[in-house]
Amino acid sequence: MNARSTEMSATDDVIDLLLRQHAQIRDLFLLVTTSTGTERREAFDRLVRLLAVHETAEEQIVHPMSRRSLAGGDGVVLDRLHEEEMSKALLSELDRMPTDDPRFVPLLNHLRVDVLTHARAEERLEFGRLHEDLGDAERKGLAVALRAAEAIAPTHPHPGVEGAIENLLLGPALALADRLRDLIKEAMRESPSEG
Ligand SMILES: [Fe+2]
Ligand SMILES: [Fe+2]
């Protein structure tokens, strides 16, 4: 019961949830690098889905807040968006090669460094301020929206379908972004800020 309460409270706050996703992203990069064959492919698929949900949520929640409340917020956000675009391009390139291609791991390491540097910049420049600016109820409502988005992210691509990840990035990711945008608007309407 206590363990469950702790588990619940750990994901009740949108910032805790985003930080937890950063940690999951870090772990998945390690798993992709150290695994082989089908296990590597599945870990890579999970990484792509998590990155799609995570970056969409940040585009909807974190960056607009930073633009509004940080000194020089526009510049901070433009830098982060640029980093996210670069990562998306690398991710697509990785998806076009077999996971046992000799170029896969070096390219993945390149992506890992980029993504983790990007995450550290967000934590340092944006998340602290976000914590100050959002009330408890708002952070809780946004966490619900983010968990809902995770739940509707495509689970497993059909085995043997080539380019499933590319499709996720180009097609369903857009639908996911729309759905997430709606969920977040709803959450912000229903959760009056407690300051
Ligand atoms: Fe991000
Ligand atoms: Fe992030």
Side-chain angles (χ1 to χ4, degrees):
M1 186 71 183
N2 278 348
R4 185 175 166 77
S5 307
T6 308
E7 176 75 14
M8 291 294 283
S9 61
T11 56
D12 253 0
D13 182 314
V14 70
I15 299 160
D16 289 341
L17 198 52
L18 290 168
L19 285 169
R20 177 184 284 207
Q21 287 181 339
H22 280 180
Q24 286 171 341
I25 288 165
R26 212 166 31 238
D27 290 348
L28 274 173
F29 267 112
L30 189 65
L31 183 60
V32 177
T33 310
T34 55
S35 58
T36 54
T38 311
E39 195 190 352
R40 174 180 282 175
R41 186 74 225 180
E42 284 173 2
F44 182 64
D45 290 350
R46 282 171 58 202
L47 176 64
V48 171
R49 285 194 300 277
L50 180 57
L51 283 172
V53 169
H54 179 78
E55 298 302 342
T56 304
E58 287 178 338
E59 281 164 25
Q60 295 300 312
I61 300 171
V62 179
H63 300 329
M65 190 71 62
S66 298
R67 278 187 198 273
R68 278 200 299 276
S69 58
L70 290 181
D74 279 340
V76 170
V77 169
L78 279 177
D79 287 348
R80 298 296 81 71
L81 290 176
H82 178 67
E83 290 161 1
E84 286 169 8
E85 280 307 308
M86 302 282 284
S87 295
K88 220 177 273 184
L90 262 184
L91 209 50
S92 291
E93 197 179 336
L94 275 164
D95 184 48
R96 281 196 291 270
M97 61 179 73
T99 48
D100 58 359
D101 189 296
R103 292 167 301 159
F104 184 85
V105 169
L107 200 58
L108 184 84
N109 281 333
H110 183 166
L111 178 68
R112 182 176 59 86
V113 170
D114 285 359
V115 167
L116 298 186
T117 302
H118 167 77
R120 272 196 299 276
E122 288 174 337
E123 290 173 17
R124 193 163 50 85
L125 300 172
E126 298 187 276
F127 285 12
R129 188 56 186 261
L130 192 67
H131 197 276
E132 285 173 24
D133 285 6
L134 290 172
D136 287 349
E138 206 169 2
R139 290 205 305 275
K140 200 170 175 175
L142 290 170
V144 172
L146 188 47
R147 279 202 302 272
E150 277 186 318
I152 60 171
T155 49
H156 292 283
H158 298 294
V161 175
E162 299 300 325
I165 291 180
E166 193 170 22
N167 290 341
L168 173 66
L169 288 173
L170 299 176
L174 292 178
L176 180 63
D178 281 347
R179 178 78 183 118
L180 183 56
R181 204 171 293 129
D182 290 345
L183 286 166
I184 287 165
K185 277 186 195 148
E186 224 169 279
M188 293 186 112
R189 248 198 324 270
E190 286 172 8
S191 304
S193 174
E194 290 178 350

